Amino acid sequence: MVCYADLALGHRLLKELPCDDDAVAALREDPPRALKRFWEALRPLQDQIRKELGSLVTAALAESKASDLRGCSHPSGGIEVDEVPDRGRCLKVTKPLTRGSVLIREFPVAKVLLESKEHSLHPETRLALVLSAKEEKTKVAQKLLDHGGRDASALRMRGVLACCCGLCIGNSIEKVVSLFGWLGRVRINAVAVTALVEADGDMVEDKVALALYPELARCVNHSCRPNGLLRFNAKESHLVELLISSPHKVAAGEEVTISYGPLASSMVRSERQAALRAQYGFECRCPSCASKVQDEDFHWKRKAQMLDDRARAAVQREAWQEAAIACSASVAMLREGFRDGDIELAREECKLAGLTLRAGDAVKAREIWAAACQVLRPLVLPADPDLQEAEEMLKRLPWPSIRQERPPSKDRSQATFATAASKIEVAAAMGGSMPDYRD
Ligand SMILES: C[S@@+](CC[C@H](N)C(=O)[O-])C[C@H]1O[C@@H](n2cnc3c(N)ncnc32)[C@H](O)[C@@H]1O
């Protein structure tokens, strides 16, 4: 677990600060007045604070010079910013839009890279410092919501962090007020930028940066069953694109939403709501959370995982038939929870295709890759490893001569089969023939 120097110091210094009801109420309603009291209480500790945080704050401010200011475009058109009760501004479409339509393409106004370095500043503190340093260039961002952490302890922590950073930079209370505002806006509006990275032979999605995209942040709300998704291009200055991901057309007048993290396909309602409350400080009012339908129990997910583990074990033994059967059973389980057209399902199908080919059924493998390609092409970048492999295999497995073709290249296939196999073997390991995995 990373130990952030600013949070560690903040926790210690909280004891020195006013914590009466008036101080907390003032942080909510009149931050400059409350921060002045905090500032006066912490000034005598300036030397100690500078010793612990000074060089880290200077390093974070240096990151502001590396950020982009290249703005935003709306390639598909047909969108407007509207208001919805209880959720504030929202993004609506004004004409029917299909899967893969790009609604917003935007460069971050500021970003910080996430390294797993110990004893550094928390990424949100670093991003707030960067934004505060380029205040005059971030007019749109200043209009973003700032209700992050309205509970007393989160507000006081924001107050102490703003004062500590302010004391490291200079002697201006204005800077502290600005930092306090940015810490709140970053909490509500910043986005974790993800990229596919290799881990233990598998390609997995990981967080690589924290960034603020003002146009996106001012209007795109969360839903636990979203009809849009974010696609990041880490190689192109962390460009983000908001796409329609719904398999159906989005009709004029409909809101476009993304998931801020929790999804109805992977978490029960109470867990999703708790996660959103803790991270972003709001009560989710998306249709899935408002619905009276009972939560799922995710039995399909547990069974899919068990089958996947068995397929992995079969791959280790190079028992391809067994691996393909377990993987196929796992994908069948996943179909109970995911919708046709979900990227996660298509990625699992790519693994199944690889194992099916290894098991000797090139015709079936081609069919599975072809279906996965239909899902992936409009939604992922051309450099996506699953899409690239699927496209390559579709070229290498033309219908008339399928049986003469070889499996995919070694490196990639190992990564693919490692996961796919985990699924296929499941079935075989369950007793030789196809198990009744629906029990
Ligand atoms: C990035 S902003 C999105 C734009 C925002 N509606 C606005 O007016 O600025 C995120 C904030 O929107 C609101 N919000 C987004 N999705 C929501 C949801 N599903 N339920 C309730 N509030 C939501 C919350 O206040 C959240 O902190």
Side-chain angles (χ1 to χ4, degrees):
M1 179 125 148
V2 183
C3 166
Y4 294 110
D6 53 333
L7 300 190
L9 179 64
H11 280 298
R12 273 188 279 134
L13 293 179
L14 275 174
K15 296 185 195 96
E16 316 283 333
L17 293 172
C19 63
D20 50 278
D21 289 349
D22 177 55
V24 173
L27 278 171
R28 282 198 191 103
E29 282 137 35
D30 186 5
R33 178 166 74 87
L35 291 169
K36 206 150 183 279
R37 280 180 73 193
F38 277 34
W39 175 255
E40 293 306 332
L42 290 175
R43 255 179 32 183
L45 305 173
Q46 182 166 14
D47 288 347
Q48 180 200 335
I49 292 169
R50 283 190 173 173
K51 200 165 149 218
E52 290 194 39
L53 296 188
S55 59
L56 295 173
V57 169
T58 309
L61 286 170
E63 292 181 85
S64 66
K65 298 189 180 73
S67 293
D68 293 285
L69 279 170
R70 285 200 265 155
C72 162
S73 62
H74 304 110
S76 301
I79 52 171
E80 67 179 8
V81 178
D82 201 353
E83 294 263 337
V84 272
D86 297 337
R87 282 180 285 143
R89 289 169 290 196
C90 69
L91 188 71
K92 283 198 177 155
V93 308
T94 56
K95 63 177 185 189
L97 288 173
T98 50
R99 182 185 182 77
S101 304
V102 180
L103 310 187
I104 297 178
R105 179 174 284 145
E106 187 174 22
F107 288 95
V109 72
K111 68 186 174 200
V112 293
L113 302 181
L114 304 179
E115 313 103 19
S116 54
K117 230 193 305 162
E118 287 203 5
H119 304 298
S120 183
L121 298 183
H122 190 281
E124 288 181 13
T125 310
R126 285 161 55 205
L127 189 56
L129 279 161
V130 168
L131 284 156
S132 165
K134 46 164 69 182
E135 190 117 45
E136 74 289 356
K137 293 181 184 155
T138 51
K139 294 265 181 306
V140 186
Q142 284 171 38
K143 295 190 187 125
L144 296 176
L145 280 187
D146 160 22
H147 62 70
R150 290 192 73 78
D151 67 279
S153 61
L155 273 168
R156 293 179 75 239
M157 182 53 111
R158 269 169 70 190
V160 77
L161 290 178
C163 286
C164 287
C165 293
L167 283 166
C168 290
I169 296 169
N171 259 326
S172 135
I173 183 72
E174 287 75 29
K175 192 57 162 178
V176 174
V177 174
S178 153
L179 278 167
F180 181 80
W182 283 117
L183 283 166
R185 279 179 227 122
V186 162
R187 167 53 63 97
I188 299 301
N189 298 286
V191 179
V193 178
T194 58
L196 278 176
V197 293
E198 192 162 342
D200 299 332
D202 268 337
M203 297 305 287
V204 294
E205 197 142 273
D206 204 6
K207 294 174 185 170
V208 293
L210 183 70
L212 187 71
Y213 301 90
E215 178 70 4
L216 194 72
R218 82 185 176 103
C219 57
V220 184
N221 286 329
H222 162 88
S223 168
C224 296
R225 287 194 193 278
N227 55 5
L229 63 77
L230 298 184
R231 178 168 75 186
F232 297 99
N233 192 335
K235 291 205 177 100
E236 224 188 296
S237 301
H238 299 97
L239 173 74
V240 71
E241 291 172 307
L242 169 68
L243 313 180
I244 298 287
S245 60
S246 161
H248 315 290
K249 258 191 191 148
V250 175
E254 261 184 74
E255 183 182 356
V256 178
T257 52
I258 57 170
S259 166
Y260 292 1
L263 283 165
S265 59
S266 56
M267 287 163 97
V268 295
R269 187 178 335 196
S270 54
E271 282 172 1
R272 301 195 306 265
Q273 292 187 330
L276 290 164
R277 205 178 298 122
Q279 174 65 26
Y280 300 103
F282 71 85
E283 297 297 320
C284 185
R285 299 195 176 89
C286 79
S288 292
C289 287
S291 132
K292 301 239 175 334
V293 176
Q294 282 274 305
D295 270 334
E296 305 180 68
D297 68 0
F298 297 112
H299 72 284
W300 55 272
K301 205 165 206 180
R302 287 191 294 276
K303 288 192 177 171
Q305 185 57 54
M306 193 179 70
L307 288 162
D308 191 68
D309 292 343
R310 291 188 185 191
R312 280 174 190 272
V315 166
Q316 294 302 314
R317 287 183 274 113
E318 301 195 357
W320 303 115
Q321 289 276 1
E322 209 178 306
I325 293 168
C327 186
S328 170
S330 173
V331 168
M333 282 273 90
L334 290 177
R335 283 205 188 96
E336 290 199 5
F338 288 107
R339 291 175 306 185
D340 267 344
D342 280 346
I343 291 184
E344 293 89 337
L345 190 57
R347 292 200 188 285
E348 295 304 309
E349 284 171 342
C350 286
K351 294 172 191 167
L352 174 59
L355 285 175
T356 306
L357 184 62
R358 283 269 167 160
D361 192 343
V363 175
K364 185 78 192 155
R366 191 186 199 286
E367 256 174 48
I368 303 171
W369 265 314
C373 266
Q374 295 289 321
V375 174
L376 295 178
R377 267 189 212 121
L379 300 182
V380 303
L381 292 169
D384 182 274
D386 282 327
L387 179 61
Q388 275 192 344
E389 181 185 61
E391 299 279 23
E392 187 196 328
M393 294 314 295
L394 290 182
K395 277 190 223 130
R396 288 170 62 184
L397 296 174
W399 285 111
S401 57
I402 281 167
R403 304 242 166 231
Q404 280 93 60
E405 293 295 332
R406 288 182 299 128
S409 64
K410 200 162 174 263
D411 286 351
R412 179 64 196 138
S413 65
Q414 273 172 355
T416 299
F417 294 155
T419 318
S422 65
K423 297 169 184 171
I424 292 173
E425 189 201 347
V426 175
M430 277 179 141
S433 58
M434 273 292 278
D436 186 4
Y437 47 82
R438 278 157 204 282
D439 281 349

